[in-house]
Amino acid sequence: MIEVFTAKKIITMNDAWPTGTAVAVRDGVILEVGTIETLQPWLSQHEHRFNDTFKDQIIMPGFIDPHLHPVMAAVLLPMQFITALEWKFPWETVPATTTPDGFKQKLQHYHESLPVGEPFFSWGYHKHWHGEIGRPMLDKIFGDRPTVIWQRSFHEVYLNTAMLNQLGIEEDKVRDRHQIDYNNGHFYENGLSYAIGKLNAIIMSPEWINHGLTRLKQLAHFGGHTTLGDMAVGLFDDLIKEWETGRAIMGGSDAPFRVLGVAHINRIRAEQGDHIKGVAFAKTLPELNTANYRFTNKIKMFTDGAFFSQLAMLQAPGYIDDHLGEWLMVPEDFEAAARVYWNEGFEIHVHCTGDLGLELALDTLEKLQWERPRFNHGFTIEHFGFSTPEQVQRIKTLGANVSANVYYLHELSAAYSNVGIGIERAHQMARVGACEQADILTAFHSDFPMAPAMPLHSAWVAITRENCDGDVVAPELCMSLDRALRAITIDAAAILGLQNETGSIRAGKKADFAVLDQDPYEVGAGGLRDITILATVFEGRVFPISALDNVQTNV
Amino acid sequence: MFDLPISIVAGYLGSGKTTYINRRLNNSGGVRFGVLVNDFGSLNVDAELIEASDGVTVALENGCVCCSMEGGLEQAADQLRAIAQNIDWVLLEASGVADPTRLKDRVLSWPEFELKETLTLVDATRIKQLTQDKFIAGHIRKQLEEAENFIITKQDLMSSDQLPELQTWLQQQRVRPSFSPEARPPRFLAEKIEFDEPQSKQTLETWLNNLDESTLRLKGFVQLQDQPNKWHLVQWVDQQWTITPHTSSKPNQTGLVRISAAPRPHPSQINPKITPELAR
């Protein structure tokens, strides 16, 4: 049976056949897009029905987030958000809490609304807004309830006495330790890792992770996604165990999306012993595939440290305070490992945050191309924090792709101008406009939970380059609206190697749609964040976003 | 009070960290080593050597490395804490590109561990070239700047006049005073002490108060005269000690193990040669 979805406008993201008002679908696959009239040759010969649910709406290809971390997200999502900025989730809208009194009242409220004895975890505390807190104050509010207050940056945590006792953290062991303030229950930076080691029994428990993954599933649907990339399977745990944990929640027949997994090279090496055995193992991973939870021939590698922690490796002149970044793989090990996978035909995705990290990736790629040239090799720069104009040309010449976290420039361009690297380089972070000019295949990702999994919001950032202070940074690097929408649909599909399966609406592809209340090309950049996603269609099945969930995508 | 002593062994790839650690295990003098390898996925330390000395190896296979390579350290440290009774000393093999300041800060924040020394191994033939490397020059320079003790490896590949020149050059690279001016000597001796018969508590206390000054730690199980049916755990570190009732059944190992600073062998007896005094 053919199902014909009608719409006010169908935006296909196929330049050669850009729009329509009806799309015919059979067995989850698109037969043709056009108008009811042009579809007649199909409809006159086959049984069909019309689905007019979206006749007044806009249909786009389902959105694609090619890089997020389900298990990491699952650790965070069960916590109660109490934040200085508003966050919108399918299950609640978290209002902005911007004063110490407001924060205290929120804590009091949650304490009173929870069953006796149930632990309380909160994320989002920031001293700038919420004032000083500490163990005495938490004890006063929460009494015997074990309580954890996680700071917004993830790098600090406050525990009350009940939680310290529950975790067996004893005063005489931690009293004189670096970056642990026992009196205040405050564990920060290096001291945090000790607390996390103890907290793992809770936040890595199957119950917690499954709850978090369930929320991620809702969240991804809410953002209009029909395809996700798990861009480092094995990040936290035994690779296959982690994969199966994710699949159990997000890979069922009720899931409104497919997940493409890219395995973490160092996890494989640790489990298999070396990269030669590792690549042989990586080739067997597709044997685990189900219809919509899959591995292909991709591998995830790493050059330099976290962008949010200023551990990116920079070329001269480096950081203003002269601190060093961090290599996540020793450079010569990186090259040797890349060679093994390159020569076996793998598509290499490299986490690169700084311009020296990027330089290592590009130097390596150039050597590998010299040794054994490949076309369509899928070598992809992930994150793309700091870069130079000259490196963009090199990415193009070497045939590499870019999957960028453009949210960096929204959240950090102002801060890093003052503390970090100075305005010139800070304003040019996430150089995606230059990628468009060089015609490099470019996608956007959230790296969730590093940034909100809201594709239209990412597109808005790339087009406007407006940061959180409302300033436009390096407007010369703004992307066009069309290219930004490609970066969350067809170009993101190509980054994952799924461009023949999804990412645009054309004959032969899977019927993956996002249903919008407004036309992005009509509302323009300024209106993107006000567009509401009403439903998704995954392989022909409709997944409404419920009325309760039906809030704007603006964060 | 009875924290597990830990040594950081730093140095770039090929500088001989693994060889150095294996050698210490080979000459353990009865010290039971725990070895932490802070290099995701690599484990070249000879596991059999470690087992032979009743020690353990913990590789950093777990933990999130999205932000930092050190993500797995904490879990590994936890594994060592859990078996601290069976270990006398921990050797932490740093990643080839570890930032020594960050790594020291991390270890200093660890409950139940005490950082005793940081050793920086340098490959005599390669070190100068590495300080000019496009990607790792910054980390190598910092390792040299922050070093407390250098160990120069592959000296046999240098001519006799090259070595003093390299030693001078290394001294010039250091910008900070030593983090621990009295860094412990890197070799230990463990000796087993068994009393012929249960001692009185007073005798034992007097003995503990007058231990030889080369003693670094001492621990083990003994019986006391007035409680012959009970085994007591004795722990001694930094002139402080405790005697605590432990169990009435006989522990697997009885008697006391004293770890002391061992006399340093003549450099010619060691290959590759070490010169830990150089940084002083």
Side-chain angles (χ1 to χ4, degrees):
Chain A
M1 168 84 87
I2 294 173
E3 183 165 23
V4 179
F5 292 91
T6 59
K8 184 174 163 192
K9 180 180 174 187
I10 296 170
I11 299 170
T12 67
M13 301 310 291
N14 170 10
D15 290 346
W17 198 258
T19 59
T21 53
V23 55
V25 174
R26 183 174 61 198
D27 300 329
V29 174
I30 297 165
L31 300 175
E32 184 164 314
V33 58
T35 64
I36 292 175
E37 293 71 35
T38 63
L39 292 178
Q40 283 312 311
W42 287 96
L43 306 184
S44 61
Q45 287 193 37
H46 297 283
E47 199 183 348
H48 61 273
R49 64 166 182 263
F50 288 93
N51 184 334
D52 293 329
T53 316
F54 309 126
K55 66 181 169 50
D56 298 322
Q57 326 296 347
I58 309 297
I59 290 180
M60 275 193 78
F63 297 139
I64 296 170
D65 190 333
H67 183 149
L68 45 70
H69 299 294
V71 177
M72 199 194 292
V75 170
L76 181 66
L77 286 172
M79 298 186 197
Q80 176 61 53
F81 279 45
I82 306 177
T83 50
L85 297 177
E86 183 182 81
W87 281 72
K88 288 184 173 170
F89 292 116
W91 52 89
E92 72 167 334
T93 294
V94 177
T97 301
T98 55
T99 63
D101 278 349
F103 188 74
K104 247 180 169 166
Q105 283 165 18
K106 279 274 157 57
L107 294 181
Q108 194 70 46
H109 164 76
Y110 288 115
H111 173 60
E112 284 162 10
S113 59
L114 281 174
V116 174
E118 184 174 305
F120 178 70
F121 281 75
S122 159
W123 179 83
Y125 162 76
H126 196 296
K127 188 165 77 177
H128 176 75
W129 305 101
H130 305 136
E132 299 280 354
I133 65 170
R135 185 155 66 105
M137 173 233 198
L138 296 177
D139 285 347
K140 200 169 155 196
I141 294 174
F142 290 96
D144 294 338
R145 182 190 304 286
T147 298
V148 177
I149 307 292
W150 219 296
Q151 207 261 4
R152 198 250 176 266
S153 74
F154 300 97
H155 289 205
E156 299 174 43
V157 70
Y158 291 85
L159 311 180
N160 72 346
T161 304
M163 185 55 91
L164 287 170
N165 292 342
Q166 182 178 325
L167 299 176
I169 296 179
E170 294 161 16
E171 178 169 4
D172 63 334
K173 287 184 181 165
V174 300
R175 167 159 290 294
D176 56 352
R177 290 296 158 170
H178 203 56
Q179 298 179 327
I180 294 175
D181 172 2
Y182 183 80
N183 288 340
N184 273 318
H186 188 200
F187 297 74
Y188 54 104
E189 301 300 340
N190 287 309
L192 175 64
S193 59
Y194 181 70
I196 289 183
K198 301 284 182 191
L199 284 166
N200 274 346
I202 303 170
I203 63 178
M204 293 298 286
S205 68
E207 299 73 29
W208 184 282
I209 294 293
N210 288 346
H211 180 41
L213 287 171
T214 304
R215 286 195 152 180
L216 177 64
K217 186 162 89 173
Q218 288 178 270
L219 181 82
H221 174 231
F222 184 68
H225 298 95
T226 52
T227 301
L228 306 175
D230 179 346
M231 195 47 77
V233 182
L235 188 60
F236 278 91
D237 206 344
D238 172 88
L239 191 144
I240 289 176
K241 187 176 151 207
E242 183 178 305
W243 181 245
E244 289 177 343
T245 300
R247 189 177 62 195
I249 304 293
M250 306 215 302
S253 56
D254 62 332
F257 44 70
R258 68 181 63 76
V259 174
L260 189 93
V262 181
H264 188 314
I265 190 169
N266 284 341
R267 175 69 64 195
I268 290 184
R269 181 187 176 201
E271 290 179 2
Q272 304 299 318
D274 61 40
H275 289 305
I276 307 286
K277 290 178 191 141
V279 76
F281 172 75
K283 284 182 184 173
T284 69
L285 287 172
E287 293 168 13
L288 298 170
N289 287 359
T290 58
N292 288 318
Y293 225 75
R294 283 181 263 162
F295 284 105
T296 56
N297 63 333
K298 291 178 175 292
I299 191 75
K300 175 74 180 294
M301 298 187 66
F302 299 81
T303 58
D304 52 337
F307 197 84
F308 280 88
S309 310
Q310 293 202 353
L311 289 175
M313 286 299 302
L314 298 185
Q315 300 189 106
Y319 292 98
I320 292 171
D321 68 0
D322 273 339
H323 82 269
L324 287 174
E326 186 178 354
W327 289 113
L328 294 184
M329 292 178 75
V330 180
E332 56 184 86
D333 280 349
F334 175 86
E335 182 185 317
R339 181 171 289 109
V340 170
Y341 281 84
W342 174 268
N343 288 340
E344 291 292 333
F346 272 73
E347 299 183 347
I348 297 171
H349 289 245
V350 187
H351 160 117
C352 293
T353 53
D355 56 3
L356 192 58
L358 176 56
E359 192 73 1
L360 173 61
L362 296 177
D363 276 13
T364 303
L365 176 56
E366 192 163 328
K367 279 186 198 171
L368 299 175
Q369 285 284 33
W370 168 261
E371 293 166 12
R372 182 167 183 156
R374 282 173 59 188
F375 294 98
N376 294 323
H377 48 69
F379 192 102
T380 301
I381 304 301
E382 298 283 341
H383 301 325
F384 195 55
F386 300 120
S387 62
T388 67
E390 293 76 15
Q391 287 175 325
V392 170
Q393 289 307 317
R394 228 175 141 206
I395 292 170
K396 174 64 182 173
T397 308
L398 293 169
N401 306 326
V402 170
S403 178
N405 184 347
V406 292
Y407 195 75
Y408 288 157
L409 82 89
H410 182 64
E411 181 157 347
L412 297 172
S413 59
Y416 282 19
S417 297
N418 295 322
V419 179
I421 61 166
I423 194 170
E424 178 187 334
R425 289 175 295 159
H427 277 201
Q428 294 178 70
M429 66 175 69
R431 191 181 294 281
V432 290
C435 294
E436 176 176 7
Q437 288 153 26
D439 198 24
I440 292 166
L441 181 72
T442 304
F444 304 148
H445 64 243
S446 68
D447 198 16
F448 190 84
M450 296 299 132
M454 299 281 191
L456 288 170
H457 186 264
S458 300
W460 171 81
V461 172
I463 300 163
T464 63
R465 291 189 71 87
E466 190 176 315
N467 70 14
C468 58
D469 289 350
D471 295 327
V472 173
V473 302
E476 292 77 7
L477 294 174
C478 288
M479 222 184 202
S480 70
L481 173 66
D482 184 56
R483 196 68 176 230
L485 293 175
R486 289 182 64 96
I488 57 175
T489 55
I490 181 62
D491 290 350
I495 288 287
L496 291 178
L498 299 175
Q499 68 273 25
N500 296 320
E501 180 173 341
T502 188
S504 64
I505 300 175
R506 69 148 170 84
K509 284 199 181 185
K510 292 285 168 64
D512 298 340
F513 310 142
V515 181
L516 317 180
D517 70 337
Q518 298 177 79
D519 177 352
Y521 288 95
E522 255 178 44
V523 300
L528 279 189
R529 294 185 303 166
D530 299 324
I531 291 175
T532 299
I533 299 164
L534 302 165
T536 61
V537 176
F538 177 60
E539 298 188 345
R541 282 179 299 159
V542 176
F543 290 86
I545 293 170
S546 73
L548 181 71
D549 301 342
N550 194 358
V551 290
Q552 293 181 346
T553 56
N554 195 352
V555 287
Chain B
M1 193 191 295
F2 300 112
D3 294 336
L4 201 49
I6 182 166
S7 305
I8 295 177
V9 181
Y12 189 60
L13 305 186
S15 64
K17 296 193 297 286
T18 305
T19 308
Y20 173 79
I21 288 174
N22 280 334
R23 198 176 62 241
R24 269 176 89 162
L25 297 172
N26 245 330
N27 300 293
S28 67
V31 175
R32 296 167 303 170
F33 283 107
V35 180
L36 273 173
V37 185
N38 179 25
D39 192 354
F40 205 104
S42 91
L43 183 58
N44 300 316
V45 173
D46 190 335
E48 283 181 11
L49 267 181
I50 298 170
E51 279 172 28
S53 67
D54 289 332
V56 292
T57 317
V58 178
L60 308 180
E61 295 179 3
N62 294 309
C64 159
V65 295
C66 56
C67 305
S68 161
M69 201 195 258
E70 294 163 16
L73 264 176
E74 188 58 37
Q75 283 161 300
D78 243 3
Q79 291 181 45
L80 286 178
R81 279 187 194 103
I83 52 171
Q85 288 289 338
N86 303 322
I87 301 175
D88 303 315
W89 205 282
V90 175
L91 301 175
L92 193 169
E93 180 181 348
S95 134
V97 287
D99 176 339
T101 315
R102 280 166 48 79
L103 192 56
K104 271 187 217 167
D105 281 350
R106 169 63 64 96
V107 173
L108 287 170
S109 75
W110 282 353
E112 298 167 57
F113 288 89
E114 184 182 353
L115 180 60
K116 289 290 193 185
E117 58 177 352
T118 303
L119 303 167
T120 302
L121 275 66
V122 298
D123 174 344
T125 62
R126 212 180 160 203
I127 185 67
K128 286 191 181 176
Q129 171 205 336
L130 289 174
T131 60
Q132 304 299 320
D133 185 272
K134 178 176 181 180
F135 298 114
I136 57 164
H139 287 85
I140 298 296
R141 286 197 198 121
K142 197 151 182 189
Q143 284 177 5
L144 299 184
E145 285 170 12
E146 305 276 341
E148 295 162 24
N149 293 297
F150 288 118
I151 297 177
I152 304 176
T153 59
K154 303 187 185 171
Q155 293 183 21
D156 51 329
L157 299 177
M158 305 194 85
S159 63
S160 55
D161 55 333
Q162 280 176 317
L163 186 61
E165 189 268 331
L166 178 64
Q167 290 174 334
T168 308
W169 181 83
L170 283 172
Q171 289 286 25
Q172 289 165 352
Q173 309 308 308
R174 298 181 66 233
V175 296
R176 285 167 219 278
S178 179
F179 142 84
S180 163
E182 294 173 20
R184 305 273 180 181
R187 291 183 54 78
F188 314 110
L189 191 65
E191 61 181 310
K192 189 76 179 286
I193 299 166
E194 296 229 48
F195 300 110
D196 294 338
E197 54 192 30
Q199 303 293 312
S200 75
K201 197 169 183 196
Q202 197 187 0
T203 313
L204 187 62
E205 287 174 356
T206 309
W207 184 76
L208 287 171
N209 284 331
N210 292 287
L211 274 180
D212 186 276
E213 63 179 16
S214 68
T215 306
L216 300 174
R217 342 174 55 199
L218 173 133
K219 67 179 177 185
F221 297 99
V222 295
Q223 285 168 303
L224 298 178
Q225 266 172 9
D226 56 340
Q227 296 176 61
N229 296 326
K230 192 101 182 158
W231 289 88
H232 285 72
L233 172 65
V234 178
Q235 295 205 75
W236 186 104
V237 82
D238 291 342
Q239 311 294 334
Q240 298 186 64
W241 48 261
T242 56
I243 302 172
T244 45
H246 185 70
T247 164
S248 45
S249 58
K250 188 177 176 185
N252 287 336
Q253 294 190 351
T254 61
L256 300 171
V257 177
R258 184 179 85 106
I259 297 174
S260 56
R264 204 185 318 281
H266 189 271
S268 66
Q269 294 175 314
I270 305 171
N271 185 27
K273 295 168 185 171
I274 65 168
T275 57
E277 297 87 348
L278 184 60
R280 306 271 170 83

